[in-house]
Amino acid sequence: QVQLVESGGGLVQPGGSLRLSCAASGNIFSILAMGWYRQAPGKQREPVARFMSDGSTNYVESVKGRFTISRDNAKNMVFLQMNSLKPEDTAVYYCNIVVATHHTDLGTGYWGQGIEVTVSL
């Protein structure tokens, strides 16, 4: 079993910054994928920033130049630095990590509990 714990959300004014963190623990042989998603009220969950299989990063167009995804492999953590936040960034943010529990495992995806980010005056 794998557990994900997110932290770092909250209320911030437009133009402000937040840094989200997600720590994975449990039966982890290797991490195959990491990313952040978000779900705004009344909308579907969407990918925000992800590490692709070749190690490159992918961002949704609306956050390019403002958000940065990073990782600490030794600690099984993924981060999302969010700068120049806008009211439309308000959502519940979820980390998603695909974990292999042994060397032949194709991987299982796990979701964090979700953390609220509110951008408002």
Side-chain angles (χ1 to χ4, degrees):
Q1 191 70 1
V2 175
Q3 297 80 39
L4 303 184
V5 177
E6 302 173 6
S7 61
L11 172 65
V12 64
Q13 292 185 351
S17 297
L18 285 174
R19 186 180 190 234
L20 304 183
S21 300
C22 177
S25 62
N27 185 18
I28 299 172
F29 176 76
S30 66
I31 293 179
L32 305 179
M34 305 176 97
W36 288 93
Y37 293 68
R38 67 186 178 186
Q39 187 166 16
K43 295 187 177 182
Q44 290 188 338
R45 191 174 299 187
E46 65 170 355
V48 176
R50 294 175 292 172
F51 283 103
M52 309 308 288
S53 58
D54 62 357
S56 64
T57 55
N58 179 272
Y59 296 89
V60 67
E61 189 65 32
S62 61
V63 308
K64 286 182 179 179
R66 300 188 298 121
F67 291 12
T68 303
I69 189 171
S70 61
R71 63 196 293 176
D72 184 332
N73 292 330
K75 296 181 179 179
N76 293 331
M77 295 187 70
V78 61
F79 307 94
L80 186 67
Q81 178 66 42
M82 304 185 294
N83 298 328
S84 302
L85 282 160
K86 303 176 180 181
E88 50 264 43
D89 295 317
T90 295
V92 177
Y93 285 71
Y94 300 88
C95 67
N96 176 266
I97 297 181
V98 179
V99 172
T101 58
H102 52 82
H103 71 286
T104 60
D105 185 4
L106 296 180
T108 300
Y110 295 88
W111 291 95
Q113 79 278 12
I115 191 163
E116 289 195 22
V117 171
T118 303
V119 185
S120 179
L121 291 171

